[in-house]
Amino acid sequence: MAVRPKSPDFILFFAVIALLSFGVVMVYSSSAVSAYVNFDDSYYFLKRQLIWVTLGVTVMLVTLNVDYHVWRKFAKPTLLLTIVLLILVLVPGFGKVVNGARRWLGFGSLYLQPSEIAKLSMVLYSSASLARNQEKISSFIKGLVPQLLILLVIFGLILKEPDLGTALAIGGTVFILLFTAGARLSHLTSLGLVGVTGIIAAILLEPYRLKRLLAFNDPWADPLNTGYHIIQSLYALGSGGLFGVGLGRSREKFLYLPEPHTDFIFAILGEELGFIGTVTVILLFFLFAWRGFKIAISAPDIYGSLLAAGLTTMIIMQALMNIAVVTASMPVTGIPLPFISFGGSALIFTLLGVGILLNVSRYIHDK
């Protein structure tokens, strides 16, 4: 007899809506000055963010009502489409170059970032593949190598854009999925060591990445160039104090802090809303993580567990990386803050994933 779906996890849904609300407010507050200077319209980014949020929430509500088992059928086709798009973005004439990076496909004012699709497609593919080959997971050759080959293709294409931050987020998520599926710790330890070595090589072989690493170590050694982002971010957070300087009263957004409404929006949030505001956002992400992993533990089958664990890990890992960058806890990477940073494809595909996660919650054994 078919299982009757329950209501979705309300706490997780509340956390997402609360984070989106923070995002809409902070996108407007952090972007109003640059929007007026560049587009003669203080509401330029706000209006677009409201459109993306509306579309994203609509997608979330649709996927919330689609049985998550359906996504197993789309795992391979979605992965193949992702690989094609990631190749196209590197082809001159197809990919759009912004600040030296080739990460976008599109025309006019509509652009798609294939790496955002890659995040979701890797979770869908790895979850389906690991669930199907559960008995092989203890074997390095039969269990791990097939997963690693696919990961290397996706990782390599995204690294070529270049976008080390997104590549690391995807790699870390697949690593957690392998652990969740029951891979041997000895295999995972070996892979971790190889992965760290590869990351170090990727940093050392690219001069701009090495400069970012050196700037992370001592940003004041080059305050007007490589250390500029970190220093301005720390100024913003430090100015906020306990309660902040007040919503809309940031000084750093007056063209001091680069990317104030995207990668460094958390710094503006800290400046305007203070320690209380930043802790509130962090607690909402903790709430999301708690409910997401609870769904993974309580899912009715291994596929649902892996899917929920992968989607939760992907979102939380991006949040951790973004906050770590803004607080100078790791070198600068181009990772937006989920639900809060301005963005189109990133927000829509993130909310699509949340809808799938909420659907899994409708079938869990115990709420």
Side-chain angles (χ1 to χ4, degrees), residues 9 11 24 32-33 43 57 64 72 83 101 105-106 126-127 136 144 249 296 307 312 332 344 348 365-366:
D9 191 299
I11 298 177
V24 170
V33 174
Y43 300 97
V57 170
L64 183 159
R72 296 184 79 160
I83 293 173
L105 290 173
S126 295
S127 300
K136 300 178 183 178
L144 268 63
R249 300 182 65 182
L307 191 58
T312 303
V332 173
I348 287 178
H365 297 305
D366 177 31

Side-chain angles (χ1 to χ4, degrees), residues 67-147:
D67 189 328
Y68 68 90
H69 294 95
V70 169
W71 297 101
R72 296 184 79 160
K73 303 176 183 177
F74 296 99
K76 286 184 178 179
T78 304
L79 181 67
L80 291 174
L81 174 63
T82 298
I83 293 173
V84 171
L85 292 176
L86 287 174
I87 292 173
L88 283 177
V89 83
L90 299 175
V91 177
F94 286 94
K96 178 179 174 62
V97 180
V98 178
N99 295 328
R102 192 183 294 272
R103 301 175 185 174
W104 291 266
L105 290 173
F107 58 91
S109 60
L110 296 176
Y111 285 94
L112 172 71
Q113 199 167 350
S115 59
E116 295 299 332
I117 304 177
K119 295 173 186 176
L120 182 60
S121 66
M122 276 303 295
V123 171
L124 294 178
Y125 175 80
S126 295
S127 300
S129 179
L130 290 170
R132 185 174 59 252
N133 300 291
Q134 187 65 26
E135 71 285 351
K136 300 178 183 178
I137 192 62
S138 60
S139 168
F140 185 83
I141 300 298
K142 296 181 180 179
L144 268 63
V145 169
Q147 301 296 323

Side-chain angles (χ1 to χ4, degrees), residues 63-298:
T63 52
L64 183 159
N65 291 289
V66 175
D67 189 328
Y68 68 90
H69 294 95
V70 169
W71 297 101
R72 296 184 79 160
K73 303 176 183 177
F74 296 99
K76 286 184 178 179
T78 304
L79 181 67
L80 291 174
L81 174 63
T82 298
I83 293 173
V84 171
L85 292 176
L86 287 174
I87 292 173
L88 283 177
V89 83
L90 299 175
V91 177
F94 286 94
K96 178 179 174 62
V97 180
V98 178
N99 295 328
R102 192 183 294 272
R103 301 175 185 174
W104 291 266
L105 290 173
F107 58 91
S109 60
L110 296 176
Y111 285 94
L112 172 71
Q113 199 167 350
S115 59
E116 295 299 332
I117 304 177
K119 295 173 186 176
L120 182 60
S121 66
M122 276 303 295
V123 171
L124 294 178
Y125 175 80
S126 295
S127 300
S129 179
L130 290 170
R132 185 174 59 252
N133 300 291
Q134 187 65 26
E135 71 285 351
K136 300 178 183 178
I137 192 62
S138 60
S139 168
F140 185 83
I141 300 298
K142 296 181 180 179
L144 268 63
V145 169
Q147 301 296 323
L148 296 176
L149 290 175
I150 295 296
L151 175 61
L152 284 174
V153 171
I154 298 295
F155 191 96
L157 289 171
I158 294 177
L159 194 63
K160 188 69 177 174
E161 294 182 355
D163 188 353
L164 180 59
T166 297
L168 289 177
I170 292 175
T173 300
V174 172
F175 187 88
I176 295 298
L177 280 174
L178 292 172
F179 174 79
T180 306
R184 292 183 178 180
L185 288 178
S186 58
H187 292 164
L188 293 177
T189 301
S190 299
L191 288 176
L193 293 174
V194 172
V196 170
T197 303
I199 293 168
I200 293 174
I203 292 173
L204 295 178
L205 291 174
E206 283 287 350
Y208 82 92
R209 291 188 186 127
L210 182 58
K211 288 180 180 178
R212 284 184 177 181
L213 181 61
L214 294 174
F216 162 70
N217 183 56
D218 184 10
W220 280 270
D222 189 10
L224 298 179
N225 189 12
T226 55
Y228 185 78
H229 288 71
I230 298 175
I231 291 172
Q232 296 303 321
S233 179
L234 292 177
Y235 280 159
L237 290 170
S239 300
L242 183 60
F243 297 104
V245 298
L247 186 63
R249 300 182 65 182
S250 164
R251 291 180 288 272
E252 283 293 328
K253 70 183 180 183
F254 281 85
L255 309 182
Y256 292 105
L257 178 64
E259 312 296 338
H261 58 294
T262 54
D263 297 350
F264 283 87
I265 194 169
F266 189 75
I268 302 298
L269 188 151
E271 183 183 10
E272 296 190 347
L273 302 182
F275 179 76
I276 300 298
T278 57
V279 168
T280 301
V281 169
I282 290 172
L283 287 176
L284 286 170
F285 276 114
F286 268 108
L287 190 63
F288 181 94
W290 166 49
R291 299 309 296 182
F293 288 122
K294 187 177 188 300
I295 292 167
I297 293 171
S298 305

